[in-house]
Amino acid sequence: MIIDFHTHTFPPKIAASTLSKLSAMSHTLPFTDGTPEGLRASMGEAGVDLSVVLPVATAPRQVEHINDSSAAISENFREAGLLSFGCMHPDYEGWHEELARIKSLGLRGIKLHPVYQGVDFDDPRTLRILDRAGELGLIVVTHAGLDVGFPGVVRCSPEMVKNAVKQAGPVKLVLAHMGGWRCWDKVLELLPGLPVFIDTSFSTGRRTPIDSHYSEEELQLLDSDGFMELVKAFGPGRVLFGSDSPWSSQKESLRWLRVQPLSEDELSMITGENAAGLLGM
């Protein structure tokens, strides 16, 4: 079973405008139309069995509506292949009760995006969410490191992650983008000993730009040696395949993984077994 642990979709009515806005911010080409149907078509081409959809609340007022929509997406996930997480915003006043409602809706976890939400990962407003999610058994996936659309802004650095993990109670925590996008030296230095997972999303190969905004160096992400160094540091049992669709091709992301110097067992763990265990499937 191939599980993509890091994907995004948008409601069909706003998908085109949302992708256009995000693409302009990131100077990056999308690989689907951003809709659930577009993601399913990508999955069929790539041979992905299940995609975890990660919604982001950029404002507190969005939280309840997004969580209701996420529950609707996930109702038939075994047939449709889409399993949506919920969301939480650190400034949402009813965070304690809403996290319990997320659990009651049958959602497996939540997504945080410290850059979009404007709150550091080791801020007390985030720490209380991590604590409560841990109590409820919810998985927390967070954007980590820099963000392609916000140059120079880091609100979830490896240092912040280490500080947060020390302060928060036990929680199933997934650090997107191999632990911290374009902060990988510090990730290697500070994070391998922590009880966290990392995902491969938008971290390998090269970006696909829509213009000449980026320098040649900025287009390069992790090469094979850098990727394998992180896999060995964390252990293949703590690495999850993620594409960041629509911002990377699921098919090409899997193709890249399959030519790395991983054993068959290690590849199976990364592309599905680790995710299935974390999701309780």
Side-chain angles (χ1 to χ4, degrees):
M1 186 177 190
I2 305 298
I3 300 175
D4 186 340
F5 210 85
H6 193 131
T7 70
H8 304 283
T9 64
F10 308 99
K13 288 184 179 180
I14 64 168
S17 60
T18 301
L19 277 192
S20 178
K21 178 182 177 180
L22 293 174
S23 186
M25 289 172 60
S26 65
H27 300 270
T28 301
L29 178 72
F31 284 82
T32 77
D33 64 4
T35 66
E37 285 305 314
L39 177 56
R40 276 191 281 265
S42 170
M43 292 167 61
E45 184 180 358
V48 172
D49 299 293
L50 180 71
S51 287
V52 177
V53 179
L54 301 175
V56 176
T58 57
R61 67 179 183 275
Q62 299 171 337
V63 168
E64 292 180 36
H65 173 70
I66 290 176
N67 288 332
D68 289 339
S69 297
S70 297
I73 289 171
S74 298
E75 280 182 356
N76 300 311
F77 77 89
R78 294 189 186 279
E79 293 78 21
L82 303 185
L83 179 68
S84 184
F85 276 22
C87 71
M88 182 51 60
H89 194 288
D91 289 325
Y92 181 74
E93 290 186 2
W95 60 273
H96 192 274
E97 295 77 16
E98 184 65 9
L99 285 168
R101 191 174 80 90
I102 288 169
K103 178 73 172 182
S104 72
L105 288 171
L107 300 173
R108 311 290 178 100
I110 60 169
K111 171 70 184 293
L112 298 174
H113 201 307
V115 176
Y116 281 19
Q117 296 171 332
V119 179
D120 289 348
F121 192 68
D122 57 355
D123 186 283
R125 289 168 289 175
T126 304
L127 295 178
R128 65 189 183 183
I129 292 170
L130 297 179
D131 276 333
R132 182 62 171 151
E135 291 172 357
L136 293 166
L138 293 171
I139 302 163
V140 177
V141 180
T142 183
H143 174 91
L146 289 157
D147 185 277
V148 66
F150 293 80
V153 179
V154 181
R155 288 194 173 273
C156 185
S157 67
E159 292 86 352
M160 292 176 189
V161 169
K162 187 172 183 179
N163 190 32
V165 170
K166 283 183 178 179
Q167 295 185 68
V171 61
K172 301 171 186 175
L173 179 61
V174 179
L175 305 174
H177 316 305
M178 294 302 283
W181 196 71
R182 295 185 69 86
C183 298
W184 294 304
D185 288 345
K186 277 294 182 181
V187 170
L188 277 168
E189 178 185 338
L190 297 175
L191 302 186
L194 299 184
V196 299
F197 290 82
I198 60 175
D199 79 31
T200 67
S201 61
F202 204 67
S203 296
T204 58
R206 291 166 58 88
R207 305 187 211 178
T208 305
I210 57 174
D211 54 36
S212 59
H213 176 80
Y214 295 117
S215 68
E216 187 67 20
E217 189 276 333
E218 288 173 319
L219 290 172
Q220 185 67 46
L221 301 176
L222 285 169
D223 61 13
S224 180
D225 290 342
F227 173 77
M228 289 304 302
E229 190 173 11
L230 283 161
V231 171
K232 289 175 182 176
F234 282 86
R238 289 195 284 151
V239 182
L240 306 166
F241 165 61
S243 68
D244 210 1
S245 178
W247 305 111
S248 292
S249 161
Q250 290 182 306
K251 184 176 181 179
E252 291 304 316
S253 296
L254 277 170
R255 181 179 294 171
W256 191 93
L257 266 182
R258 286 170 173 148
V259 299
Q260 301 313 305
L262 297 162
S263 70
E264 286 298 320
D265 286 345
E266 290 171 337
L267 184 62
S268 294
M269 291 167 70
I270 292 171
T271 57
E273 291 174 10
N274 295 337
L278 189 57
L279 293 167
M281 297 177 64

